[in-house]
Amino acid sequence: MPVLNERKYLEHAVASVLDQELSGPSELVLALGPSTDGTTELAQRLAAGDDRIRLVDNPAAHIPVGLNAAIRASRYPTIVRVDAHSELAPGYAQRALATLERTGAANVGGVMSADGRTPFQKAVARAYNSPVGLGGGAYHGTTHEGEAESAYLGVMRRSVLDEVGLFDETVRRGEDWELNLRIRRAGHRVWLDPKLSVTYWPRESWWRLARQFRATGAWRGELVRRYGRRNGLRFFAPPALVLITALALVVGILQLTGVLAGLASILASVVYLPLVAYVLLVAVMALKPGGGRTFRERLWTLAVLPTMHLSWGFGFIAGVLRGARDTVDASRLGTRNTPLP
């Protein structure tokens, strides 16, 4: 578990791991980044209270670097990747190990079930769980078990990780997808079991969400530079939205200034149609009845979806044009000291 500024979530995440019922020995290796909110001190207290918890340093603070440090320090033949911003469902590890054995796969993952506590976080969670929000990735809600392109978190055979070279430490975001690509290219299978569920807690504010998605988009653009067509078409929808929006702004300015007039103006107005369709889609998503959603959650949905898509799209275009370079997920670099209720 890579950990950085997760004081509000760490104790719950650790408890969900240690409560897993397993027939053999297990350990939880925390890779500690340079937190500023008391996370490191909390991790040390947790480790002092349970000898299954081990601590390693991750001074670089990058997720793949921390993951590799934790894997290298681990002692058992199966690696269960966990996240400090998530909680494993009861029985997760036991079922994942059984699925790993039953299928012979190298990596087994389940479904990311996003959840929230505030109206904003609930709106983000709903977007995460919808094909509209994140483009319909299999681990965002499929009910079909079988081979998959990638796996959320993942339960992996250590021997295969050693074979393919662990996580690529030059990839700051999308490291799971890149690792699973190498696993599949090495002739192994990645498997999705939808009965495996992990609760994920999204970012708690609009600004953090925008920064997270910009960084994620930039690294997807970098992965497109590196691997081209191996990236699914769904990854190109947000940058297409950004380009269409920019084109619509240009057309609008030309129409208002009279540069475009008459038949040319009418024909150019076609560029607005995709944006009208997108606005209607977002509105339907926000206003759709059911689910016990509050008025504030519905309002936040109107802001959350465009924020996710446009931030991701801007980041993607920058990543394709110049590479991700030193782009990091700045939303993880600071947090308030407020404990969970």
Side-chain angles (χ1 to χ4, degrees):
M1 179 191 294
V3 180
L4 177 67
N5 288 323
E6 295 287 5
R7 188 176 185 275
K8 291 178 20 176
Y9 295 92
L10 181 62
E11 194 162 5
H12 290 255
V14 167
S16 77
V17 173
L18 298 181
D19 287 344
Q20 298 292 311
E21 296 182 0
L22 294 167
S23 57
S26 64
E27 63 187 354
L28 173 58
V29 186
L30 305 182
L32 301 179
S35 296
T36 58
D37 68 343
T39 293
T40 299
E41 293 76 13
L42 174 59
Q44 291 168 343
R45 290 197 298 272
L46 294 173
D50 194 313
D51 59 11
R52 291 175 294 174
I53 301 176
R54 301 172 60 211
L55 308 179
V56 297
D57 290 328
N58 177 23
H62 299 308
I63 290 175
V65 176
L67 286 169
N68 285 347
I71 292 169
R72 291 187 183 105
S74 64
R75 296 171 290 186
Y76 300 116
T78 306
I79 302 297
V80 181
R81 177 180 172 176
V82 288
D83 190 276
H85 230 65
S86 63
E87 296 174 24
L88 303 184
Y92 174 92
Q94 189 174 53
R95 179 176 178 88
L97 291 172
T99 302
L100 203 66
E101 180 67 24
R102 170 172 58 86
T103 62
N107 187 10
V108 169
V111 174
M112 173 202 282
S113 179
D115 202 353
R117 296 184 174 93
T118 65
F120 175 83
Q121 202 176 39
K122 289 178 180 178
V124 178
R126 188 163 182 267
Y128 263 92
N129 295 332
S130 166
V132 175
L134 291 180
Y139 55 78
H140 291 295
T142 187
T143 58
H144 174 70
E145 180 177 5
E147 291 192 50
E149 176 187 27
S150 188
Y152 176 57
L153 299 182
V155 179
M156 299 164 273
R157 299 181 189 274
R158 173 64 183 273
S159 60
V160 174
L161 289 179
D162 289 336
E163 175 189 340
V164 300
L166 304 186
F167 287 91
D168 185 339
E169 296 184 2
T170 69
V171 178
R172 305 303 189 210
R173 304 287 294 176
E175 71 282 346
D176 286 323
W177 181 89
E178 193 278 337
L179 173 67
N180 284 298
L181 174 62
R182 283 187 284 122
I183 288 174
R184 290 186 288 110
R185 291 172 72 178
H188 303 287
R189 291 193 294 175
V190 177
W191 195 266
L192 174 67
D193 182 351
K195 292 185 178 180
L196 295 172
S197 178
V198 179
T199 299
Y200 172 77
W201 302 101
R203 296 297 186 265
E204 308 91 336
S205 71
W206 177 86
W207 181 240
R208 291 184 183 219
L209 181 72
R211 294 166 84 180
Q212 177 192 20
F213 270 75
R214 180 189 170 279
T216 303
W219 278 103
R220 177 53 58 181
E222 173 68 32
L223 291 173
V224 166
R225 287 169 64 97
R226 296 190 190 190
Y227 297 105
R229 290 188 177 181
R230 294 185 180 90
N231 294 266
L233 288 176
R234 65 190 178 90
F235 295 123
F236 295 85
L241 175 64
V242 170
L243 294 176
I244 291 171
T245 302
L247 181 59
L249 287 173
V250 171
V251 169
I253 292 171
L254 294 177
Q255 289 174 328
L256 288 173
T257 57
V259 175
L260 278 178
L263 180 60
S265 178
I266 294 173
L267 293 176
S269 296
V270 173
V271 74
Y272 300 128
L273 295 180
L275 293 182
V276 171
Y278 178 76
V279 170
L280 290 175
L281 181 65
V282 171
V284 169
M285 180 80 175
L287 302 176
K288 185 178 179 180
R293 288 173 292 137
T294 64
F295 179 71
R296 289 181 63 195
E297 185 183 339
R298 293 176 188 275
L299 283 180
W300 271 123
T301 300
L302 293 174
V304 159
L305 283 169
T307 297
M308 292 168 62
H309 295 151
L310 293 174
S311 298
W312 204 100
F314 275 114
F316 179 94
I317 292 170
V320 168
L321 293 179
R322 66 179 183 87
R325 298 183 183 178
D326 57 351
T327 302
V328 297
D329 179 6
S331 68
R332 301 171 60 242
L333 299 183
T335 188
R336 293 176 297 178
N337 255 346
T338 310
L340 283 173

